[in-house]
Amino acid sequence: MLLKNYFKAVGLALAIVYSVVEVSASEVDMRDSIVSKKLENITVSANKVTSKVSTATSVQVLNSEDLRNFGLQDVGEAVKRFAGANVKDYGGIGGLKTVSVRNLGAAHTAVSYDGVAVSNCQAGQIDVGRFSLDNVSELSLAVGQDDNMLQSARLQSSAGVLKIETQKPYFEDKNYLTELKIKGGAFGYISPTVRHWQKLSNVASVSLNANFQRADGYYPYVIENGQATKEEKRQNSDVKSYQGELNYYHTFCDDDELNVKAYYFNSERGLPGSVILYNPQSDERLWDENFFVQARYKKFFSSKLKMLIQGKYNYSWNKYLDEGVEYEGGKQIDINKQNEYYLSATVLYSLLNGLDVSLAQDGAVNKLNTNGVNSPEPLRYTSLTAFSVQYKYERLKLMGSLLATYITDEVQNGNTPEDRSKLSPTVMLSYRLLPEQQFYVRVMFKNTFRVPTFSDLYYLRVGNTNLKPENATEYTAGVTWSGKAGVCEYISFTVDGYFNKVTDKIIAFPSTYVWKMQNYGKVNIYGVDVTLATGVKVRNDINLNVSTNYSWQKAIDVTDKSAKNYKHQLPYTPEHSGNVALTIEMPWVNVGYSAGIVGKRYYLAQNIDVNKIDGYCEHTATVWREFKLKATSLRLQAEIINLTDSNYEVIKYYPMPGRSWRLTGIIKF
């Protein structure tokens, strides 16, 4: 059924291409036959949704134009377009969204914001839905780690890295740029954004970005119970958030770089809860506040010696409220406060021609304070040391690294876990098969070490202090190719097969804010990721860009042969998933279309019909046009999300919104 929907989506995409191009061509021909005036040349740049074919690991990229043209709202929506990425989405504009790469778990996926890792020692996973795309220049997902030798040990310690790079100021004929954006749509959604770039001197500049977002989240959905269906409206799904950041950029005379960022986020949202037995009621509320300041200094001592120093202070606070007769006093209030101090230094040295070595040392101190009675008040010290070697010879690129992890906890109440330490190796190889072609074969071996989080260990109601650390080993092999063929101006193709072996896997069974934690024992994960992107110049002023990807994944529990769920697919893991996206760029209007397809899943350990969640296909259509008047530009965009009004769930009993719309206006001056 999933493959049928996948090919339907591809067929619909091709039908849209054919109809739009035919109408466009006929209109151009008619205009040319009536008006003999010669048209001015128009230059249109092709925007690609592509993968980096020359890297030794899978790296998928979306640039700023892709993010806008596909009508994507936040980072969580964008990551769904990457092959091998599993996104848990609790629905609604303010719904939590967490990312797992190849089913290794969200805690194995690092999130980097302008080069510095985003952390959360309490839950171990980042809600990527809170990151706006308004100021993002590039979003990339690397399986394992990318080829960059000058990066922190923390980013090398994860099974996958989601990198968010924001736009840096650039100036042409004036010393400033201001952008005003307003987005509005269904379910009471409104979001104004302001961005300002200011040039201070030839070597220094600042940028300011501020965003407000609110929505009532009162969207309709359909409950099915056997043959009976009932329409309801989602309750307690409102959100209100503020986000702002201030950046300072300085380039020194010797090309050294200093970037400083201050970031603030504040939100209040309802947690709509699960809909069981026609009960849409939920009284859960969540308040979040996050502030951090980070600095990155890149020093070039010579062409052979480079250094990167990073520092960060992170403060986060959240308050959870639930009302009900089951609580003493009629309500439960949980307040958590985290503080982190982080410092990293990386040195890269070129020993010989083609031989580079790097050493990265990270240190972090994390403290969690809660309002719980006899709270452990844990304090964690983390040391990460990574030594890497990279060798390039003609068409061969070989890279290896060894990561040393040491973690110790202190608690004020309860038992103190033993110290954890481990050596984790990584080996990556890329070989260019043909000297005249961008045709590569690549293999990777990587071991990762995932320590239980504070919530895993200490959370009073669901924490499990007996949890074992989680070990994961990744094996990947694939081929990549990029070039031109026929009418295609570019083609990018990758296929990667992988096998992941996990022992003592920690699984979180979700219920919005609280998870039930347990070790799963042994898990084997088999899979294949395929990506394809191409661009065609239909006419001199009409460009077509198409991308698609497909993932097959079998993630099974192999702990106990006598268990009922032996060799059953892990919860919330589709065997088949994929998406297709296209944009048609024309002088008078531009059109975008995308479809995400996800196969059936099971929300409990046993793969039986009563635990099944049906697959779905979600379509999004976008149209936009840009107008320019001297130094001012205006972009108008309209989007329809879930075009076919599909009724589906990503998480069981958490219905997703049906068809909705969104309008965007952007003015730059």
Side-chain angles (χ1 to χ4, degrees):
M1 179 62 70
L2 173 98
L3 292 178
K4 183 178 179 181
N5 288 334
Y6 182 78
F7 288 119
K8 280 184 178 179
V10 175
L12 179 58
L14 295 177
I16 293 174
V17 172
Y18 179 80
S19 60
V20 173
V21 172
E22 283 295 309
V23 171
S24 303
S26 63
E27 289 182 355
V28 172
D29 291 341
M30 183 179 296
R31 184 178 60 186
D32 289 345
S33 64
I34 297 175
V35 183
S36 60
K37 181 180 177 180
K38 184 178 179 180
L39 296 176
E40 295 181 359
N41 293 329
I42 300 176
T43 302
V44 181
S45 59
N47 301 305
K48 308 175 186 179
V49 181
T50 185
S51 298
K52 295 183 178 180
V53 300
S54 61
T55 56
T57 59
S58 172
V59 180
Q60 301 172 73
V61 180
L62 285 166
N63 63 33
S64 58
E65 284 298 309
D66 300 325
L67 298 172
R68 285 198 299 266
N69 297 346
F70 295 144
L72 303 174
Q73 176 178 296
D74 56 46
V75 172
E77 285 188 9
V79 174
K80 293 178 183 179
R81 271 63 183 177
F82 290 138
N86 305 104
V87 179
K88 285 185 177 179
D89 191 333
Y90 293 85
I93 294 172
L96 303 175
K97 298 177 177 66
T98 60
V99 180
S100 171
V101 175
R102 293 180 178 175
N103 211 67
L104 290 169
H108 275 282
T109 305
V111 177
S112 166
Y113 197 66
D114 279 342
V116 182
V118 181
S119 64
N120 185 331
C121 264
Q122 179 187 354
Q125 48 193 358
I126 307 300
D127 175 19
V128 297
R130 72 179 176 91
F131 291 106
S132 170
L133 292 174
D134 293 328
N135 190 40
V136 173
S137 63
E138 184 177 280
L139 186 70
S140 65
L141 179 66
V143 178
Q145 63 194 56
D146 58 30
D147 295 345
N148 181 17
M149 296 277 285
L150 200 63
Q151 61 178 323
S152 67
R154 179 177 279 184
L155 295 183
Q156 299 182 55
S157 67
S158 299
V161 181
L162 176 65
K163 289 189 175 182
I164 305 170
E165 295 292 333
T166 61
Q167 292 185 347
K168 293 183 179 180
Y170 59 89
F171 304 94
E172 296 178 353
D173 54 352
K174 54 185 180 181
N175 294 331
Y176 69 92
L177 175 69
T178 301
E179 176 182 289
L180 303 177
K181 177 187 294 187
I182 181 72
K183 294 188 289 186
F187 320 131
Y189 173 66
I190 187 74
S191 178
T193 301
V194 60
R195 177 171 62 178
H196 181 75
W197 294 347
Q198 184 67 52
K199 186 176 182 180
L200 302 179
S201 67
N202 290 333
V203 296
S205 62
V206 295
S207 70
L208 172 67
N209 305 281
N211 169 262
F212 169 75
Q213 177 179 277
R214 63 89 54 197
D216 56 43
Y218 197 56
Y219 60 85
Y221 63 94
V222 177
I223 297 178
E224 296 182 359
N225 185 6
Q227 299 297 321
T229 61
K230 183 180 180 181
E231 291 188 0
E232 293 281 359
K233 287 287 187 71
R234 202 67 165 117
Q235 305 290 327
N236 197 40
S237 188
D238 61 293
V239 62
K240 181 188 296 183
S241 68
Y242 306 85
Q243 178 179 318
E245 64 177 71
L246 178 66
N247 297 276
Y248 174 75
Y249 305 92
H250 193 106
T251 302
F252 298 91
C253 58
D254 52 0
D255 292 332
D256 295 351
E257 298 176 0
L258 173 66
N259 299 334
V260 181
K261 178 189 295 289
Y263 173 95
Y264 180 76
F265 174 82
N266 184 292
S267 75
E268 178 188 353
R269 52 187 159 185
L271 302 178
S274 58
V275 178
I276 303 175
L277 299 178
Y278 300 101
N279 179 23
Q281 185 64 33
S282 175
D283 297 309
E284 297 174 285
R285 305 289 297 178
L286 180 64
W287 291 262
D288 281 297
E289 185 176 37
N290 179 220
F291 167 78
F292 68 77
V293 57
Q294 66 184 41
R296 283 168 50 90
Y297 176 62
K298 189 180 293 186
K299 173 68 177 178
F300 297 88
F301 293 99
S302 66
S303 61
K304 289 189 173 185
L305 180 62
K306 304 173 185 177
M307 180 179 66
L308 174 66
I309 297 177
Q310 301 179 115
K312 182 175 183 178
Y313 167 71
N314 182 69
Y315 167 84
S316 62
W317 172 93
N318 64 57
K319 175 183 175 182
Y320 168 75
L321 168 67
D322 188 20
E323 298 180 351
V325 296
E326 66 272 24
Y327 302 118
E328 183 179 351
K331 61 183 178 181
Q332 171 72 31
I333 298 177
D334 295 332
I335 299 176
N336 302 287
K337 182 175 67 174
Q338 296 183 71
N339 283 279
E340 180 187 58
Y341 304 88
Y342 169 74
L343 187 63
S344 171
T346 306
V347 176
L348 171 63
Y349 184 69
S350 298
L351 287 174
L352 303 169
N353 186 25
L355 180 61
D356 299 330
V357 296
S358 70
L359 179 65
Q361 176 62 55
D362 290 16
V365 179
N366 293 86
K367 176 66 175 177
L368 174 66
N369 300 102
T370 71
N371 66 329
V373 179
N374 295 323
S375 172
E377 304 292 318
L379 178 66
R380 173 170 292 180
Y381 299 92
T382 302
S383 172
L384 300 170
T385 307
F387 177 73
S388 303
V389 179
Q390 182 174 268
Y391 177 67
K392 296 180 182 179
Y393 178 73
E394 296 182 348
R395 290 178 281 163
L396 174 69
K397 179 163 60 176
L398 178 64
M399 181 176 175
S401 65
L402 186 64
L403 175 76
T405 303
Y406 178 77
I407 296 176
T408 182
D409 287 1
E410 296 179 0
V411 297
Q412 294 184 8
N413 298 291
N415 297 326
T416 302
E418 295 182 356
D419 296 344
R420 278 84 61 182
S421 61
K422 185 176 175 61
L423 291 175
S424 304
T426 299
V427 178
M428 302 184 297
L429 180 147
S430 174
Y431 183 74
R432 188 171 181 172
L433 293 174
L434 302 175
E436 303 301 324
Q437 292 285 333
Q438 294 288 323
F439 185 27
Y440 297 86
V441 60
R442 60 190 183 191
V443 295
M444 182 193 73
F445 163 81
K446 186 177 179 68
N447 179 261
T448 53
F449 177 56
R450 199 279 244 196
V451 175
T453 65
F454 286 162
S455 291
D456 295 340
L457 295 168
Y458 308 118
Y459 196 63
L460 296 178
R461 284 175 287 170
V462 297
N464 180 3
T465 56
N466 295 319
L467 283 174
K468 302 175 183 178
E470 180 177 304
N471 288 279
T473 304
E474 302 172 80
Y475 303 88
T476 302
V479 294
T480 68
W481 178 76
S482 178
K484 296 181 178 181
V487 298
C488 299
E489 291 196 311
Y490 69 87
I491 298 178
S492 174
F493 172 77
T494 70
V495 56
D496 291 284
Y498 60 88
F499 169 65
N500 300 334
K501 188 174 182 63
V502 184
T503 57
D504 296 319
K505 184 172 178 63
I506 301 171
I507 291 293
F509 289 93
S511 59
T512 300
Y513 183 68
V514 176
W515 292 269
K516 301 291 185 181
M517 310 308 302
Q518 62 176 305
N519 284 110
Y520 232 69
K522 297 180 181 179
V523 174
N524 289 343
I525 306 169
Y526 308 85
V528 176
D529 291 338
V530 181
T531 71
L532 173 66
T534 186
V536 178
K537 184 174 286 295
V538 181
R539 300 175 64 99
N540 289 334
D541 53 2
I542 300 177
N543 282 321
L544 167 67
N545 298 301
V546 181
S547 69
T548 183
N549 67 58
Y550 167 76
S551 294
W552 171 81
Q553 186 177 105
K554 196 70 175 175
I556 56 176
D557 176 21
V558 293
T559 304
D560 183 1
K561 292 184 178 180
S562 63
K564 293 182 178 180
N565 62 315
Y566 180 67
K567 289 192 174 181
H568 283 205
Q569 190 87 335
L570 292 186
Y572 294 105
T573 303
E575 185 173 348
H576 303 280
S577 62
N579 68 74
V580 58
L582 66 87
T583 59
I584 306 172
E585 300 169 328
M586 299 170 288
W588 50 94
V589 72
N590 305 288
V591 179
Y593 163 80
S594 66
I597 308 98
V598 175
K600 67 179 182 181
R601 294 137 292 143
Y602 298 90
Y603 72 98
L604 292 178
Q606 283 188 265
N607 295 174
I608 55 180
D609 286 343
V610 71
N611 296 334
K612 185 176 71 172
I613 306 177
D614 292 331
Y616 63 89
C617 182
E618 185 189 52
H619 306 260
T620 298
T622 310
V623 294
W624 74 94
R625 173 73 189 272
E626 290 194 12
F627 306 88
K628 290 189 177 181
L629 179 62
K630 296 183 179 179
T632 302
S633 67
L634 173 66
R635 178 184 175 113
L636 300 177
Q637 183 165 318
E639 304 151 16
I640 300 180
I641 302 98
N642 196 357
L643 184 64
T644 58
D645 200 24
S646 175
N647 183 45
Y648 69 98
E649 298 171 327
V650 177
I651 301 297
K652 185 65 174 176
Y653 304 123
Y654 287 79
M656 297 293 288
R659 184 187 299 114
S660 62
W661 57 272
R662 190 161 56 230
L663 300 175
T664 303
I666 306 173
I667 184 169
K668 294 181 182 180
F669 55 90

